[in-house]
PDB file of all heavy atoms in Angstrom:
ATOM      1  N   VAL A 246      10.129 -17.518  10.190  1.00  0.00           N
ATOM      2  CA  VAL A 246      10.829 -17.701   8.948  1.00  0.00           C
ATOM      3  C   VAL A 246      11.674 -16.458   8.565  1.00  0.00           C
ATOM      4  O   VAL A 246      12.285 -16.439   7.483  1.00  0.00           O
ATOM      5  CB  VAL A 246       9.788 -17.925   7.771  1.00  0.00           C
ATOM      6  CG1 VAL A 246       8.966 -19.219   8.017  1.00  0.00           C
ATOM      7  CG2 VAL A 246       9.002 -16.777   7.511  1.00  0.00           C
ATOM      8  N   CYS A 247      11.803 -15.463   9.474  1.00  0.00           N
ATOM      9  CA  CYS A 247      12.585 -14.328   9.175  1.00  0.00           C
ATOM     10  C   CYS A 247      14.046 -14.596   9.355  1.00  0.00           C
ATOM     11  O   CYS A 247      14.447 -15.136  10.374  1.00  0.00           O
ATOM     12  CB  CYS A 247      12.127 -13.128   9.980  1.00  0.00           C
ATOM     13  SG  CYS A 247      10.508 -12.510   9.491  1.00  0.00           S
ATOM     14  N   LYS A 248      14.862 -14.259   8.356  1.00  0.00           N
ATOM     15  CA  LYS A 248      16.252 -14.550   8.374  1.00  0.00           C
ATOM     16  C   LYS A 248      17.030 -13.576   9.160  1.00  0.00           C
ATOM     17  O   LYS A 248      16.628 -12.434   9.251  1.00  0.00           O
ATOM     18  CB  LYS A 248      16.766 -14.538   6.899  1.00  0.00           C
ATOM     19  CG  LYS A 248      16.034 -15.440   5.960  1.00  0.00           C
ATOM     20  CD  LYS A 248      16.487 -15.142   4.574  1.00  0.00           C
ATOM     21  CE  LYS A 248      15.482 -15.823   3.621  1.00  0.00           C
ATOM     22  NZ  LYS A 248      14.643 -14.823   2.923  1.00  0.00           N
ATOM     23  N   PRO A 249      18.194 -14.012   9.762  1.00  0.00           N
ATOM     24  CA  PRO A 249      19.034 -12.998  10.415  1.00  0.00           C
ATOM     25  C   PRO A 249      19.560 -12.054   9.382  1.00  0.00           C
ATOM     26  O   PRO A 249      19.674 -12.344   8.222  1.00  0.00           O
ATOM     27  CB  PRO A 249      20.134 -13.822  11.077  1.00  0.00           C
ATOM     28  CG  PRO A 249      20.138 -15.084  10.309  1.00  0.00           C
ATOM     29  CD  PRO A 249      18.716 -15.320   9.809  1.00  0.00           C
ATOM     30  N   PHE A 250      19.872 -10.830   9.743  1.00  0.00           N
ATOM     31  CA  PHE A 250      20.456  -9.862   8.890  1.00  0.00           C
ATOM     32  C   PHE A 250      19.553  -9.526   7.657  1.00  0.00           C
ATOM     33  O   PHE A 250      19.996  -9.131   6.577  1.00  0.00           O
ATOM     34  CB  PHE A 250      21.792 -10.246   8.265  1.00  0.00           C
ATOM     35  CG  PHE A 250      22.745 -10.789   9.270  1.00  0.00           C
ATOM     36  CD1 PHE A 250      23.199 -12.108   9.231  1.00  0.00           C
ATOM     37  CD2 PHE A 250      23.227  -9.987  10.389  1.00  0.00           C
ATOM     38  CE1 PHE A 250      24.062 -12.591  10.190  1.00  0.00           C
ATOM     39  CE2 PHE A 250      24.078 -10.446  11.286  1.00  0.00           C
ATOM     40  CZ  PHE A 250      24.489 -11.786  11.247  1.00  0.00           C
ATOM     41  N   LEU A 251      18.241  -9.713   7.843  1.00  0.00           N
ATOM     42  CA  LEU A 251      17.281  -9.546   6.706  1.00  0.00           C
ATOM     43  C   LEU A 251      17.280  -8.115   6.265  1.00  0.00           C
ATOM     44  O   LEU A 251      17.314  -7.763   5.057  1.00  0.00           O
ATOM     45  CB  LEU A 251      15.891  -9.951   7.115  1.00  0.00           C
ATOM     46  CG  LEU A 251      14.782  -9.753   6.085  1.00  0.00           C
ATOM     47  CD1 LEU A 251      15.046 -10.675   4.906  1.00  0.00           C
ATOM     48  CD2 LEU A 251      13.414 -10.009   6.631  1.00  0.00           C
ATOM     49  N   LEU A 252      17.254  -7.168   7.235  1.00  0.00           N
ATOM     50  CA  LEU A 252      17.262  -5.738   6.880  1.00  0.00           C
ATOM     51  C   LEU A 252      18.745  -5.233   6.860  1.00  0.00           C
ATOM     52  O   LEU A 252      19.486  -5.484   7.798  1.00  0.00           O
ATOM     53  CB  LEU A 252      16.481  -4.908   7.877  1.00  0.00           C
ATOM     54  CG  LEU A 252      14.963  -5.087   7.917  1.00  0.00           C
ATOM     55  CD1 LEU A 252      14.303  -4.239   8.945  1.00  0.00           C
ATOM     56  CD2 LEU A 252      14.408  -4.683   6.521  1.00  0.00           C
ATOM     57  N   SER A 253      19.052  -4.493   5.855  1.00  0.00           N
ATOM     58  CA  SER A 253      20.409  -3.932   5.715  1.00  0.00           C
ATOM     59  C   SER A 253      20.593  -2.898   6.844  1.00  0.00           C
ATOM     60  O   SER A 253      19.569  -2.299   7.361  1.00  0.00           O
ATOM     61  CB  SER A 253      20.677  -3.285   4.332  1.00  0.00           C
ATOM     62  OG  SER A 253      19.912  -2.074   4.305  1.00  0.00           O
ATOM     63  N   SER A 254      21.848  -2.519   7.148  1.00  0.00           N
ATOM     64  CA  SER A 254      22.037  -1.551   8.217  1.00  0.00           C
ATOM     65  C   SER A 254      21.437  -0.253   7.755  1.00  0.00           C
ATOM     66  O   SER A 254      20.926   0.556   8.581  1.00  0.00           O
ATOM     67  CB  SER A 254      23.507  -1.412   8.581  1.00  0.00           C
ATOM     68  OG  SER A 254      24.295  -1.612   7.510  1.00  0.00           O
ATOM     69  N   LEU A 255      21.487   0.117   6.443  1.00  0.00           N
ATOM     70  CA  LEU A 255      20.949   1.396   5.994  1.00  0.00           C
ATOM     71  C   LEU A 255      19.446   1.447   6.184  1.00  0.00           C
ATOM     72  O   LEU A 255      18.863   2.411   6.657  1.00  0.00           O
ATOM     73  CB  LEU A 255      21.293   1.620   4.488  1.00  0.00           C
ATOM     74  CG  LEU A 255      22.771   1.582   4.142  1.00  0.00           C
ATOM     75  CD1 LEU A 255      22.950   2.013   2.691  1.00  0.00           C
ATOM     76  CD2 LEU A 255      23.627   2.419   5.037  1.00  0.00           C
ATOM     77  N   ALA A 256      18.798   0.278   5.850  1.00  0.00           N
ATOM     78  CA  ALA A 256      17.322   0.208   6.013  1.00  0.00           C
ATOM     79  C   ALA A 256      16.946   0.289   7.489  1.00  0.00           C
ATOM     80  O   ALA A 256      15.995   1.024   7.821  1.00  0.00           O
ATOM     81  CB  ALA A 256      16.832  -1.102   5.470  1.00  0.00           C
ATOM     82  N   LEU A 257      17.685  -0.405   8.330  1.00  0.00           N
ATOM     83  CA  LEU A 257      17.287  -0.367   9.762  1.00  0.00           C
ATOM     84  C   LEU A 257      17.452   1.101  10.365  1.00  0.00           C
ATOM     85  O   LEU A 257      16.593   1.564  10.968  1.00  0.00           O
ATOM     86  CB  LEU A 257      18.329  -1.302  10.593  1.00  0.00           C
ATOM     87  CG  LEU A 257      17.950  -2.746  10.801  1.00  0.00           C
ATOM     88  CD1 LEU A 257      19.122  -3.425  11.522  1.00  0.00           C
ATOM     89  CD2 LEU A 257      16.693  -2.835  11.612  1.00  0.00           C
ATOM     90  N   GLU A 258      18.643   1.663  10.109  1.00  0.00           N
ATOM     91  CA  GLU A 258      18.872   3.010  10.651  1.00  0.00           C
ATOM     92  C   GLU A 258      17.951   4.013  10.046  1.00  0.00           C
ATOM     93  O   GLU A 258      17.394   4.874  10.755  1.00  0.00           O
ATOM     94  CB  GLU A 258      20.334   3.468  10.453  1.00  0.00           C
ATOM     95  CG  GLU A 258      21.404   2.553  11.029  1.00  0.00           C
ATOM     96  CD  GLU A 258      21.135   2.199  12.524  1.00  0.00           C
ATOM     97  OE1 GLU A 258      20.501   2.956  13.240  1.00  0.00           O
ATOM     98  OE2 GLU A 258      21.554   1.081  12.901  1.00  0.00           O
ATOM     99  N   GLY A 259      17.657   3.920   8.708  1.00  0.00           N
ATOM    100  CA  GLY A 259      16.790   4.858   8.046  1.00  0.00           C
ATOM    101  C   GLY A 259      15.365   4.730   8.584  1.00  0.00           C
ATOM    102  O   GLY A 259      14.750   5.740   8.831  1.00  0.00           O
ATOM    103  N   ALA A 260      14.915   3.523   8.738  1.00  0.00           N
ATOM    104  CA  ALA A 260      13.466   3.330   9.194  1.00  0.00           C
ATOM    105  C   ALA A 260      13.335   3.803  10.666  1.00  0.00           C
ATOM    106  O   ALA A 260      12.335   4.506  10.953  1.00  0.00           O
ATOM    107  CB  ALA A 260      13.143   1.874   9.090  1.00  0.00           C
ATOM    108  N   ILE A 261      14.370   3.610  11.500  1.00  0.00           N
ATOM    109  CA  ILE A 261      14.217   4.029  12.933  1.00  0.00           C
ATOM    110  C   ILE A 261      14.201   5.515  13.006  1.00  0.00           C
ATOM    111  O   ILE A 261      13.333   6.189  13.612  1.00  0.00           O
ATOM    112  CB  ILE A 261      15.381   3.449  13.734  1.00  0.00           C
ATOM    113  CG1 ILE A 261      15.249   1.922  13.957  1.00  0.00           C
ATOM    114  CG2 ILE A 261      15.484   4.153  15.117  1.00  0.00           C
ATOM    115  CD1 ILE A 261      16.492   1.210  14.489  1.00  0.00           C
ATOM    116  N   ALA A 262      15.003   6.198  12.140  1.00  0.00           N
ATOM    117  CA  ALA A 262      15.100   7.693  12.113  1.00  0.00           C
ATOM    118  C   ALA A 262      13.801   8.230  11.518  1.00  0.00           C
ATOM    119  O   ALA A 262      13.296   9.258  12.023  1.00  0.00           O
ATOM    120  CB  ALA A 262      16.269   8.152  11.253  1.00  0.00           C
ATOM    121  N   ALA A 263      13.228   7.524  10.569  1.00  0.00           N
ATOM    122  CA  ALA A 263      11.980   7.998   9.955  1.00  0.00           C
ATOM    123  C   ALA A 263      10.817   8.028  11.018  1.00  0.00           C
ATOM    124  O   ALA A 263      10.012   8.925  10.988  1.00  0.00           O
ATOM    125  CB  ALA A 263      11.563   7.098   8.781  1.00  0.00           C
ATOM    126  N   LEU A 264      10.738   7.015  11.803  1.00  0.00           N
ATOM    127  CA  LEU A 264       9.788   6.937  12.839  1.00  0.00           C
ATOM    128  C   LEU A 264       9.837   8.074  13.863  1.00  0.00           C
ATOM    129  O   LEU A 264       8.871   8.578  14.378  1.00  0.00           O
ATOM    130  CB  LEU A 264       9.764   5.636  13.609  1.00  0.00           C
ATOM    131  CG  LEU A 264       9.375   4.346  12.761  1.00  0.00           C
ATOM    132  CD1 LEU A 264       9.650   3.095  13.591  1.00  0.00           C
ATOM    133  CD2 LEU A 264       7.853   4.462  12.473  1.00  0.00           C
ATOM    134  N   GLU A 265      11.118   8.520  14.094  1.00  0.00           N
ATOM    135  CA  GLU A 265      11.400   9.572  15.103  1.00  0.00           C
ATOM    136  C   GLU A 265      10.959  10.896  14.581  1.00  0.00           C
ATOM    137  O   GLU A 265      10.576  11.808  15.356  1.00  0.00           O
ATOM    138  CB  GLU A 265      12.892   9.578  15.474  1.00  0.00           C
ATOM    139  CG  GLU A 265      13.157   8.563  16.514  1.00  0.00           C
ATOM    140  CD  GLU A 265      14.640   8.313  16.639  1.00  0.00           C
ATOM    141  OE1 GLU A 265      15.466   9.001  16.114  1.00  0.00           O
ATOM    142  OE2 GLU A 265      15.004   7.301  17.261  1.00  0.00           O
ATOM    143  N   ASP A 266      10.964  11.111  13.250  1.00  0.00           N
ATOM    144  CA  ASP A 266      10.679  12.438  12.690  1.00  0.00           C
ATOM    145  C   ASP A 266       9.165  12.641  12.461  1.00  0.00           C
ATOM    146  O   ASP A 266       8.663  12.617  11.319  1.00  0.00           O
ATOM    147  CB  ASP A 266      11.428  12.734  11.399  1.00  0.00           C
ATOM    148  CG  ASP A 266      11.481  14.177  10.990  1.00  0.00           C
ATOM    149  OD1 ASP A 266      10.677  14.958  11.588  1.00  0.00           O
ATOM    150  OD2 ASP A 266      12.232  14.527  10.119  1.00  0.00           O
ATOM    151  N   THR A 267       8.452  12.878  13.552  1.00  0.00           N
ATOM    152  CA  THR A 267       6.964  12.929  13.475  1.00  0.00           C
ATOM    153  C   THR A 267       6.595  14.291  12.756  1.00  0.00           C
ATOM    154  O   THR A 267       5.495  14.314  12.202  1.00  0.00           O
ATOM    155  CB  THR A 267       6.335  12.886  14.875  1.00  0.00           C
ATOM    156  OG1 THR A 267       7.051  13.781  15.712  1.00  0.00           O
ATOM    157  CG2 THR A 267       6.473  11.429  15.476  1.00  0.00           C
ATOM    158  N   ASP A 268       7.480  15.291  12.836  1.00  0.00           N
ATOM    159  CA  ASP A 268       7.160  16.566  12.030  1.00  0.00           C
ATOM    160  C   ASP A 268       7.039  16.293  10.567  1.00  0.00           C
ATOM    161  O   ASP A 268       6.191  16.722   9.894  1.00  0.00           O
ATOM    162  CB  ASP A 268       8.227  17.610  12.315  1.00  0.00           C
ATOM    163  CG  ASP A 268       8.137  18.173  13.658  1.00  0.00           C
ATOM    164  OD1 ASP A 268       7.114  17.929  14.392  1.00  0.00           O
ATOM    165  OD2 ASP A 268       9.096  18.925  14.069  1.00  0.00           O
TER     166      ASP A 268
END
Side-chain angles (χ1 to χ4, degrees):
V246 303
C247 290
K248 304 169 193 110
F250 313 117
L251 178 66
L252 288 179
S253 75
S254 36
L255 305 189
L257 268 176
E258 301 311 330
I261 292 169
L264 289 172
E265 278 163 12
D266 196 348
T267 50
D268 284 351

